[in-house]
Amino acid sequence: MPPWFVVGAAAVLFPIFGYMTLENIHRQKQHGTRLLLEKGAALIRSFEAGTRSGMTGRRREDFELQRLLKETAQQPDILYLYVADSDGKIMAHSDTSHIGKRLRDNMDLKAISHQKKVAYRIVQQKEAGEVFEVFRRFSPTGGPPGLDGRTVFNQLFRDSFRPDENFRTPDLIIFVGLDMTSVEEARKSDMLHTIVMGVTLLFVGFAGILMLFLAQSYRAAKASLSQIKAFSDTLVENMPIGLLAIDNDKNIASLNPVAEKVLEISFDRVAGRPAKDVLPASLWKELEGLGDARGFSDKEIECAVESESETIPLEISAAPLREDGGAVSGCVLLFKDLAELKSLQKQIERSQRLASIGRLAAGVAHEIKNPLSSIKGFATYFKERYREIPQDFETAGILIQEVDRLDRVVNQLLELARPTVIEKRPVCAEELIEDSLLRIRKKAEENRISIETGFLHDRSVLLADRDKICQVLLNVYLNAIDSMAENNREKTLSISLNRPAGGKRLEIHVADCGTGIGDENLAHIFDPFFTTKAGGTGLGLAIVHNIMEAHGGEIQVDTKQGKGTTVILRFPLEEE
């Protein structure tokens, strides 16, 4: 509990409950005073009524005020009862020893003798302690009819007063002394009860404020925890790498969507199960050897999953999960699929290799092209000179054909070596495909190959170099036709347009039902001078790859040996 909370609660609650307690004590004191005052007033009225009854009754000659005082003073809680005149002389007293004495209190007896309202004071006595004294004017009715005031006064105070000839009836005051012991005890008990209740209420209020503080702290902590949980859940679910957490019992504790996709397992299905039974063997081997206080980072492994015939390259990092006290509660594993990165690295290596080959080819082509012109010139000369000699004429013709073929190869080498320069213009994709198919229809018919097309019919427009893309399509068509040339079953060349979800790319699919490409050859099909055809140069697909890169596109080859090949050309759809 923070100190400022205790100080603040005390500063708020103490004045409130202190004031309530003091007010309650004051109210109880007033209530006790009122009870004693009412009791005294009732006694005075009762005494006056007794006096009137005694003076007007049949035995009025026997009535004595002194005897009535003594009998009345014998009631419980009444300490004394006396009557005095306005000069302070005690005319009658429940204790006869006080008759005739004078009061020494500094009281305005003249004013009190004319006061009809009951008043009170608290006096201190040696024997009785504090005494609650009630007083007011004593005014019993006059005596029987026909008696004067002197006779009545003499009848009331016959034992203590002898009027002279100049007598004037004095004003009288009656005093009643009440014992405060029972009232004080009750007041002290009530005060103690009030203090206890005040302290109790103080602690209850303090506890209430504490509960409000704790409730507010709980709500704030819960809201903060919810925000942190939402943030961590969003972070874990959307992070681009896989996350796997296991507890101390080596059971699966957490798995994010990327990890589910890479490992091809569902968290709902494997939650709480032993990691050994769920994870691939190569991944579990790394986790099994992880100590309680150590981890590792940036370690590459080959991981095999159920649906992949080949292993997936993964970069993994692992660390123990620690609680606040330092105890280890499990471990967390982060991993990243390196398949795409490895593919990009291979593409970079191939591009670097092609660049080196291109520079080499440019130098070689430059050195070969000039001698080829001379050789072709001499071959043409000998062909004309030995026209009459068939064998020499045919030999010269073959020499010219080979020189032309070598010149074409040199030109392709130069095209491969030179940077691909393109001029992008808006081109209708459907018209581009139709125009490119016109150039191979005759060869397709000669090989009994049917051509099928599937278009989107939305007049999709590409920003591309028309001639270069036609060159790409022709190379792909010719490779597909050559792949189906020796096939005796039904042969079909399928060309279709496709726009994947998102609509930011356009794809041209070229599919055949030929012999396919073997796995050992698939990785080298874009390398210069790699070919499986007897008369091929191995430069066609390398040039195709360069043209697609120049357009910001991609080329993908999906093949199954003996079932055919599908070439996918992807072009970005740029905004006009």
Side-chain angles (χ1 to χ4, degrees):
M1 188 184 304
W4 63 263
F5 173 79
V6 178
V7 174
V12 173
L13 294 177
F14 279 168
I16 295 175
F17 287 103
Y19 173 78
M20 291 174 60
T21 302
L22 293 176
E23 182 67 18
N24 197 14
I25 292 173
H26 179 67
R27 188 165 55 251
Q28 290 173 358
K29 184 176 181 181
Q30 286 183 331
H31 179 68
T33 301
R34 186 171 61 252
L35 289 177
L36 289 174
L37 187 61
E38 291 176 354
K39 182 176 181 180
L43 284 172
I44 291 175
R45 288 193 299 269
S46 176
F47 186 79
E48 288 179 341
T51 301
R52 287 193 294 270
S53 298
M55 293 180 63
T56 58
R58 293 179 179 179
R59 299 179 61 83
R60 57 180 178 270
E61 294 84 2
D62 298 331
F63 173 73
E64 293 183 8
L65 180 64
Q66 181 63 38
R67 186 170 63 249
L68 180 62
L69 280 173
K70 295 181 79 171
E71 292 177 356
T72 304
Q74 291 178 2
Q75 295 184 25
D77 298 335
I78 298 178
L79 297 177
Y80 57 82
L81 185 66
Y82 67 90
V83 176
D85 61 12
S86 59
D87 294 329
K89 181 180 179 180
I90 299 176
M91 309 299 295
H93 199 289
S94 57
D95 185 358
T96 56
S97 64
H98 290 83
I99 297 174
K101 295 181 179 180
R102 291 191 176 273
L103 299 177
R104 297 180 181 180
D105 298 325
N106 297 324
M107 300 177 63
D108 189 359
L109 298 178
K110 296 290 186 183
I112 296 174
S113 65
H114 295 86
Q115 181 178 325
K116 294 182 179 181
K117 186 177 180 180
V118 178
Y120 75 94
R121 66 175 181 169
I122 297 176
V123 295
Q124 190 73 29
Q125 292 187 354
K126 293 182 180 181
E127 299 82 3
E130 288 187 346
V131 178
F132 190 86
E133 191 174 78
V134 183
F135 52 88
R136 74 169 171 82
R137 176 182 178 181
F138 182 61
S139 56
T141 58
L147 294 180
D148 58 4
R150 178 174 178 170
T151 305
V152 171
F153 193 80
N154 187 35
Q155 183 178 355
L156 289 175
F157 303 104
R158 65 181 66 178
D159 296 333
S160 59
F161 180 75
R162 295 291 186 270
D164 54 16
E165 296 178 354
N166 299 323
F167 172 77
R168 291 180 61 190
T169 304
D171 295 324
L172 301 178
I173 305 169
I174 185 170
F175 293 85
V176 178
L178 299 176
D179 188 5
M180 295 183 64
T181 304
S182 60
V183 175
E184 282 295 317
E185 290 177 354
R187 187 172 65 84
K188 289 179 180 179
S189 177
D190 290 342
M191 182 183 300
L192 179 61
H193 176 73
T194 301
I195 293 174
V196 171
M197 287 299 298
V199 173
T200 304
L201 290 176
L202 178 64
F203 280 104
V204 170
F206 188 81
I209 293 179
L210 177 62
M211 292 301 295
L212 290 175
F213 174 78
L214 294 178
Q216 181 63 26
S217 299
Y218 171 76
R219 290 181 60 187
K222 185 177 180 181
S224 178
L225 182 62
S226 299
Q227 292 177 354
I228 294 173
K229 185 177 183 300
F231 173 78
S232 60
D233 290 346
T234 303
L235 179 64
V236 169
E237 290 179 2
N238 294 280
M239 63 192 309
I241 60 176
L243 182 143
L244 167 68
I246 61 175
D247 57 23
N248 273 337
D249 297 327
K250 303 297 183 182
N251 297 327
I252 300 294
S254 180
L255 203 66
N256 74 340
V258 175
E260 292 179 334
K261 182 178 179 181
V262 173
L263 301 179
E264 298 182 355
I265 55 178
S266 173
F267 177 68
D268 295 335
R269 185 171 57 87
V270 302
R273 292 181 55 189
K276 182 178 181 181
D277 300 337
V278 174
L279 300 180
S282 55
L283 196 59
W284 167 247
K285 183 179 179 181
E286 299 295 335
L287 291 176
E288 188 179 21
L290 184 64
D292 291 340
R294 60 185 177 86
F296 57 82
S297 62
D298 300 336
K299 185 175 183 179
E300 291 190 15
I301 64 170
E302 295 292 331
C303 180
V305 295
E306 295 181 1
S307 65
E308 294 287 340
S309 57
E310 297 182 358
T311 57
I312 301 175
L314 295 179
E315 182 182 48
I316 62 174
S317 299
L321 286 173
R322 298 185 181 277
E323 299 177 352
D324 293 340
V328 177
S329 60
C331 70
V332 62
L333 176 72
L334 301 176
F335 57 89
K336 180 169 59 177
D337 186 357
L338 299 179
E340 185 175 356
L341 179 61
K342 296 289 186 182
S343 176
L344 291 175
Q345 289 176 347
K346 290 180 180 179
Q347 290 181 13
I348 293 173
E349 291 174 359
R350 182 170 59 248
S351 298
Q352 292 175 346
R353 186 168 63 252
L354 289 176
S356 300
I357 293 174
R359 289 192 296 269
L360 176 63
V364 173
H366 178 74
E367 296 297 329
I368 292 176
K369 198 166 183 64
N370 290 335
L372 280 180
S373 300
S374 300
I375 294 172
K376 185 176 181 180
F378 282 115
T380 304
Y381 169 75
F382 286 121
K383 184 177 181 180
E384 294 296 330
R385 181 173 181 176
Y386 297 105
R387 183 180 292 276
E388 302 300 331
I389 305 174
Q391 185 176 359
D392 293 342
F393 181 80
E394 183 179 355
T395 301
I398 293 172
L399 182 60
I400 292 172
Q401 292 176 4
E402 292 300 316
V403 169
D404 289 338
R405 191 175 71 84
L406 187 57
D407 186 62
R408 288 195 300 272
V409 172
V410 171
N411 288 332
Q412 289 180 342
L413 280 173
L414 289 173
E415 183 178 356
L416 180 65
R418 286 194 296 265
T420 304
V421 180
I422 60 174
E423 294 182 5
K424 289 186 177 183
R425 298 181 183 275
V427 179
C428 178
E430 296 180 9
E431 293 179 359
L432 180 62
I433 294 174
E434 291 288 358
D435 291 345
S436 64
L437 288 175
L438 291 176
R439 307 182 188 185
I440 55 99
R441 284 191 183 276
K442 185 175 180 181
K443 186 170 183 179
E445 291 173 358
E446 292 174 356
N447 288 277
R448 300 186 303 279
I449 297 174
S450 61
I451 298 176
E452 295 180 354
T453 58
F455 297 144
L456 298 173
H457 302 294
D458 60 358
R459 309 296 293 176
S460 300
V461 176
L462 293 173
L463 287 176
D465 189 317
R466 186 185 188 93
D467 293 337
K468 295 293 185 182
I469 299 302
C470 278
Q471 183 181 352
V472 169
L473 292 173
L474 286 174
N475 270 286
V476 175
Y477 295 159
L478 292 175
N479 285 339
I481 291 173
D482 292 340
S483 174
M484 293 185 290
E486 302 299 328
N487 195 349
N488 294 324
R489 63 178 185 270
E490 184 179 354
K491 296 176 282 189
T492 303
L493 177 64
S494 301
I495 301 95
S496 62
L497 285 173
N498 184 35
R499 183 180 289 108
K504 295 184 178 181
R505 287 182 177 271
L506 185 68
E507 296 180 350
I508 300 177
H509 293 233
V510 181
D512 63 59
C513 52
T515 57
I517 304 172
D519 293 338
E520 67 280 2
N521 296 328
L522 184 61
H524 304 286
I525 58 176
F526 298 113
D527 293 347
F529 306 110
F530 178 81
T531 181
T532 57
K533 295 187 290 186
T537 61
L539 296 174
L541 287 181
I543 295 173
V544 166
H545 189 273
N546 286 352
I547 294 174
M548 291 299 297
E549 281 190 340
H551 280 81
E554 300 174 0
I555 180 170
Q556 177 183 335
V557 178
D558 296 332
T559 183
K560 290 186 179 180
Q561 196 164 9
K563 294 185 178 181
T565 302
T566 300
V567 178
I568 303 173
L569 305 173
R570 295 189 178 94
F571 298 91
L573 288 177
E574 303 180 23
E575 297 181 0
E576 292 191 34

